[in-house]
Amino acid sequence: MGIHGLMSYVGEHKQFFTDLQLRNTKIIIDGNNLFHRLYFESNLDLQHGGDYDSFTDIVHKFFETLSVCKIYPYVVLDGGCDLSDKKFVTLKERARDKIQVAYSISRGGGGSVLPLLTREVFKQALTKLEVPFVQCFSEADRDIMSLANHWNCPVLTLDSDFCIFDLKAGYCPLNYFQWRNLCICEGTLDCYIPARCFSLERLCSHFSHMNKALLPLFAVMNGNDYINLPALETFFSKVRLPVGGSGWRGRKHVRIQGLLNWLSRFADPTEAIDNVLKYLKKHEREEIRKLLCTSMEEYEQSDVNLEDFFQNGTYESQVTRNLELPQWMLEAFAKGHLSPFISDALLLRRTILHVQVENMQRPSAHTVALPIRQVIYGLLLNASQNSEVPSPSKQSNKLPIVREFDRIQKTLKKSFVPTTMLPLDFCEDHRPLATLTEVPRSDRLKLLLETLRVKASILQPIPSPLWLPVAVTCYWTHYSEPKVKLHHLQALLLGMVFGELHRTTSSPDPAVFHVKDKMVYDQFLKWKEKNFQELLDLDTAHTFCQWQCCLQMGLHLNQLLSTPLPEPEVTRLYCGTLVHRLCKELKSAHGAENLLISSPKMSQLYCDLLHAVKSTVPPDFFQETTKTTKSCKEKNKQATSQAETTRQHATLEAQPLCDVNNRFASLMVED
């Protein structure tokens, strides 16, 4: 949530805070706030699709610093949208704003848009670090408050709603949490992190010792992400708010200070609401009273016992009990094994697709992954194929529909997307969603690979952690628009090799670490660290944004199918600044393989990756020169005949994506 202008207001009043030396304590962390803050405050690249390796390093440093200070973190992530959908207007407005910001960044301007896969990278980093985390069923604020009060420990976030929650141990704003400035306690070897803690008591004391129970009413009247009542403007236009004092500036701060002063006159919320209603028309009063009281409930403790989850792995609430979802899904949501995208599609039949820094003159980068999303929707909404149905076109009007919100040009619009009919072997004799985990792995794998239009045989020479990324890359190569060029594919695959180099060179195991690999890795780092002076190549950026969209939906589908392919380590798959730099160099320099000449093992890995993808497209797809592929051809010449056979069997058989786009073009309407 968030209360308009409150965080900047309290930030101007140091008397509302106490200084802390944070150590030897549990702490509840607002995960969504944290990964946004860590990415944006670390001066990481925003133009080229995300430097996930650098972001992962920062996440590791953050939690290592907490460990040094004996601070025990418990991370709580937001889930899908609230079932009441009361925040939908706010979410749409934010999506519109992000489109404009992404456009600004694409043209060299300012702004912040989080790279598409940051959340997945963050969750994987938490898992690797063994930091306990939970993904709530919807927004996490009330669950965070309940757990923090149960454990009597502080909350770390940058959400102004926590200035309203009555927290026993207080709220530490992230912007005052100096984790990079580690200090040592005088006379000891103990370390601490300097921080500030917001004090609700100090705020209330400043406003004539007002009753804390009035603060939720203040939040609702001032306006938050859930409520913005036009009728209350009548109140503000008629009442004379006693601003008083100094230290405020700006229209929002005037209203905040005046409203707090005005509310402090009353003993409790009931008396205050009665006085608010006096300024409204009689026929509006009871409805507004109900709305105010209902909205204030958002600041009460939740019925979710997160302690039970962190101790026993059990996540229960009245909402989840009423939904009667399969138990495996509830557990997967809580453990972060299923994305909020899945719950929104399942429960609300609506998704909002995350904008990227791409070419706004072209169709959204998410368009390429539409067929993958339709399979996900089909699994969730139990679309089934009936053998008596004469054709898909006649059946399509009967299929469940999902509303997708995405950009067209620089405008947020929605489309009505029918689900895909599932194969018969997924629909006979059982209800797919409830028993999805009972489907044999071979059938789940078959559906995944058929969706990505690849054959299992092409993956056999590839290391298993890269099976899903390679399958996704084959799909992307076929259906990306503008068409993928050879230097795009080479740069992307070299980026994956860079991730593998990082893993081997950082390993303490002599059997894994190789000096030659370290030399090649250092050369890649030099490419990565070169500053970009020129404007962003929009079509190249768009092409790689499409790959990320394909990977994101490939990950979601693989997770929904209980990972028939191993889940890849996303941070090792894509480094935007490196891939864009390599792409530029490969257009005018020597062959990509020359970069790996010192490391036969990595050179072979690259050749295997390249061969796997190229085996799924016609021989003249890239119109490559002999020079650029010579070394790989030499290394694989003994397998030429076998490779040709594989290529013939693995050629994609799906219809061109443009046919799918045309099907839905007439359904696009502005929201």
Side-chain angles (χ1 to χ4, degrees):
M1 291 191 288
I3 301 165
H4 306 160
L6 182 59
M7 204 65 241
S8 59
Y9 174 79
V10 299
E12 293 183 354
H13 295 76
K14 293 183 180 181
Q15 65 269 33
F16 297 159
F17 295 86
T18 59
D19 290 330
L20 286 184
Q21 296 181 358
L22 211 60
R23 59 190 175 98
N24 298 327
T25 181
K26 291 179 179 178
I27 191 167
I28 314 301
I29 299 177
D30 181 337
N32 288 64
N33 260 253
L34 179 62
F35 67 69
H36 278 81
R37 180 83 182 175
L38 289 181
Y39 200 98
F40 292 147
E41 75 167 7
S42 301
N43 198 32
L44 297 179
D45 179 81
L46 296 170
Q47 270 198 326
H48 301 93
D51 277 356
Y52 297 123
D53 56 338
S54 298
F55 172 67
T56 300
D57 290 342
I58 291 165
V59 173
H60 280 230
K61 289 175 184 175
F62 177 85
F63 286 103
E64 286 164 4
T65 302
L66 298 191
S67 178
V68 168
C69 299
K70 297 181 180 178
I71 298 172
Y72 306 101
Y74 292 82
V75 177
V76 185
L77 292 160
D78 288 335
C81 295
D82 189 276
L83 293 182
S84 68
D85 227 8
K86 54 196 169 186
K87 197 176 175 180
F88 185 43
V89 173
T90 298
L91 293 175
K92 286 196 295 184
E93 193 57 42
R94 287 180 180 172
R96 291 188 183 100
D97 291 343
K98 286 177 182 176
I99 291 172
Q100 301 306 316
V101 174
Y103 175 74
S104 171
I105 296 172
S106 74
R107 299 288 173 173
S112 298
V113 172
L114 201 68
L116 186 67
L117 301 173
T118 308
R119 181 187 176 102
E120 291 296 327
V121 172
F122 181 69
K123 287 192 300 182
Q124 289 185 348
L126 295 180
T127 300
K128 190 168 185 177
L129 292 167
E130 299 183 343
V131 174
F133 73 94
V134 63
Q135 181 175 266
C136 294
F137 200 71
S138 56
E139 195 145 19
D141 292 5
R142 295 172 62 209
D143 298 347
I144 290 173
M145 174 185 66
S146 300
L147 180 62
N149 281 340
H150 186 71
W151 282 349
N152 193 25
C153 65
V155 171
L156 183 64
T157 180
L158 196 58
D159 188 333
S160 53
D161 279 299
F162 285 87
C163 295
I164 305 300
F165 291 130
D166 191 3
L167 295 165
K168 295 178 182 178
Y171 150 46
C172 296
L174 268 164
N175 55 335
Y176 299 134
F177 188 72
Q178 301 179 51
W179 68 275
R180 299 178 193 269
N181 184 26
L182 198 62
C183 298
I184 299 177
C185 297
E186 187 175 350
T188 73
L189 296 178
D190 293 342
C191 297
Y192 69 87
I193 296 174
R196 284 185 181 179
C197 184
F198 174 80
S199 169
L200 199 66
E201 286 72 20
R202 290 192 176 197
L203 174 71
C204 291
S205 177
H206 181 77
F207 289 99
S208 305
H209 300 280
M210 71 184 297
N211 184 350
K212 287 189 288 188
L214 288 161
L215 289 176
L217 177 59
F218 156 76
V220 172
M221 291 183 66
N222 186 67
N224 61 23
D225 288 346
Y226 282 146
I227 188 167
N228 186 14
L229 293 175
L232 288 180
E233 291 304 318
T234 303
F235 163 79
F236 285 112
S237 67
K238 292 181 178 180
V239 71
R240 185 174 180 179
L241 297 178
V243 177
S246 60
W248 50 267
R249 66 170 184 264
R251 185 176 178 181
K252 286 183 180 178
H253 290 188
V254 171
R255 175 175 287 195
I256 288 170
Q257 184 147 319
L259 184 56
L260 287 168
N261 273 318
W262 187 82
L263 287 171
S264 68
R265 300 172 174 178
F266 306 109
D268 55 47
T270 302
E271 182 185 354
I273 290 173
D274 288 339
N275 278 272
V276 170
L277 298 179
K278 290 178 183 178
Y279 293 91
L280 306 183
K281 296 175 182 178
K282 289 185 178 180
H283 70 275
E284 296 179 329
R285 291 177 183 174
E286 286 311 306
E287 181 183 359
I288 297 301
R289 184 193 298 275
K290 289 179 182 178
L291 282 171
L292 290 174
C293 292
T294 301
S295 300
M296 289 169 62
E297 292 174 1
E298 294 297 332
Y299 295 93
E300 296 176 0
Q301 293 199 122
S302 76
D303 66 334
V304 178
N305 183 357
L306 289 187
E307 181 183 44
D308 196 24
F309 173 83
F310 285 122
Q311 291 182 349
N312 307 311
T314 304
Y315 182 97
E316 286 189 6
S317 71
Q318 189 59 50
V319 171
T320 57
R321 284 190 289 270
N322 292 341
L323 288 172
E324 298 182 348
L325 289 175
Q327 187 61 35
W328 74 266
M329 289 199 78
L330 293 176
E331 292 177 3
F333 280 130
K335 293 177 180 178
H337 297 165
L338 289 177
S339 162
F341 170 88
I342 298 294
S343 60
D344 285 348
L346 173 63
L347 301 172
L348 300 174
R349 297 198 178 190
R350 188 210 68 226
T351 57
I352 300 178
L353 303 178
H354 182 84
V355 70
Q356 299 178 84
V357 180
E358 57 193 60
N359 189 342
M360 298 289 180
Q361 299 305 311
R362 293 189 176 276
S364 166
H366 287 285
T367 306
V368 70
L370 175 59
I372 307 175
R373 294 198 299 277
Q374 287 181 283
V375 173
I376 293 173
Y377 300 153
L379 285 167
L380 293 173
L381 302 178
N382 198 29
S384 62
Q385 186 177 28
N386 189 324
S387 58
E388 298 177 1
V389 177
S391 70
S393 60
K394 293 183 180 180
Q395 172 75 356
S396 61
N397 289 335
K398 299 179 182 179
L399 293 172
I401 298 294
V402 175
R403 291 176 299 148
E404 286 191 343
F405 285 81
D406 196 7
R407 68 159 193 86
I408 292 184
Q409 303 289 331
K410 292 185 287 182
T411 305
L412 181 70
K413 296 196 176 182
K414 69 180 174 184
S415 60
F416 297 93
V417 178
T419 63
T420 286
M421 294 177 291
L422 299 178
L424 281 172
D425 54 2
F426 251 85
C427 303
E428 288 181 336
D429 302 326
H430 63 80
R431 185 174 180 270
L433 186 59
T435 60
L436 195 53
T437 56
E438 300 170 18
V439 176
R441 177 184 174 274
S442 59
D443 290 342
R444 290 181 278 117
L445 177 60
K446 180 182 177 184
L447 179 62
L448 176 63
L449 294 181
E450 286 182 352
T451 301
L452 297 176
R453 310 335 196 238
V454 296
K455 303 290 185 182
S457 57
I458 72 164
L459 302 178
Q460 291 176 359
I462 307 299
S464 59
L466 294 176
W467 283 347
L468 182 60
V470 169
V472 163
T473 302
C474 293
Y475 176 96
W476 163 78
T477 302
H478 251 260
Y479 297 118
S480 201
E481 181 60 41
K483 180 181 176 181
V484 173
K485 295 181 172 61
L486 182 59
H487 61 268
H488 294 145
L489 176 61
Q490 290 174 317
L492 182 67
L493 297 181
L494 284 169
M496 294 183 191
V497 173
F498 171 74
E500 183 64 15
L501 281 166
H502 182 93
R503 184 186 69 81
T504 60
T505 57
S506 59
S507 174
D509 185 354
V512 176
F513 176 81
H514 298 284
V515 175
K516 289 184 178 180
D517 288 348
K518 181 66 166 62
M519 292 170 58
V520 177
Y521 177 71
D522 290 342
Q523 180 59 46
F524 272 105
L525 282 180
K526 291 178 182 178
W527 285 111
K528 177 187 174 184
E529 291 166 2
K530 282 190 176 182
N531 292 325
F532 280 90
Q533 302 296 331
E534 64 278 356
L535 289 175
L536 181 67
D537 183 330
L538 289 177
D539 278 346
T540 294
H542 200 82
T543 297
F544 290 132
C545 283
Q546 289 179 96
W547 180 81
Q548 289 206 56
C549 291
C550 295
L551 180 62
Q552 182 190 47
M553 291 304 149
L555 286 166
H556 291 344
L557 178 57
N558 191 48
Q559 291 164 352
L560 183 59
L561 293 171
S562 300
T563 58
L565 288 181
E567 181 153 311
E569 195 174 358
V570 179
T571 187
R572 306 295 176 225
L573 299 180
Y574 185 83
C575 171
T577 51
L578 174 63
V579 170
H580 276 253
R581 171 60 65 188
L582 289 171
C583 194
K584 180 176 175 59
E585 294 299 325
L586 288 167
K587 288 168 64 177
S588 57
H590 299 291
E593 300 82 4
N594 293 338
L595 298 170
L596 301 172
I597 197 168
S598 300
S599 175
K601 181 181 178 182
M602 292 301 153
S603 182
Q604 185 62 53
L605 173 61
Y606 169 76
C607 289
D608 289 343
L609 296 175
L610 184 62
H611 175 71
V613 178
K614 290 180 68 179
S615 70
T616 66
V617 296
D620 61 347
F621 184 88
F622 293 111
Q623 296 181 343
E624 70 272 20
T625 63
T626 305
K627 180 180 178 180
T628 55
T629 56
K630 183 177 178 181
S631 67
C632 275
K633 286 181 178 179
E634 288 176 348
K635 291 182 181 181
N636 290 287
K637 62 183 179 181
Q638 294 180 352
T640 299
S641 58
Q642 180 183 353
E644 177 60 21
T645 302
T646 302
R647 184 196 67 75
Q648 292 174 358
H649 286 295
T651 299
L652 303 187
E653 300 173 351
Q655 295 178 349
L657 186 63
C658 59
D659 293 347
V660 180
N661 296 341
N662 292 337
R663 281 175 55 197
F664 302 120
S666 61
L667 298 175
M668 302 300 288
V669 293
E670 184 171 359
D671 182 67

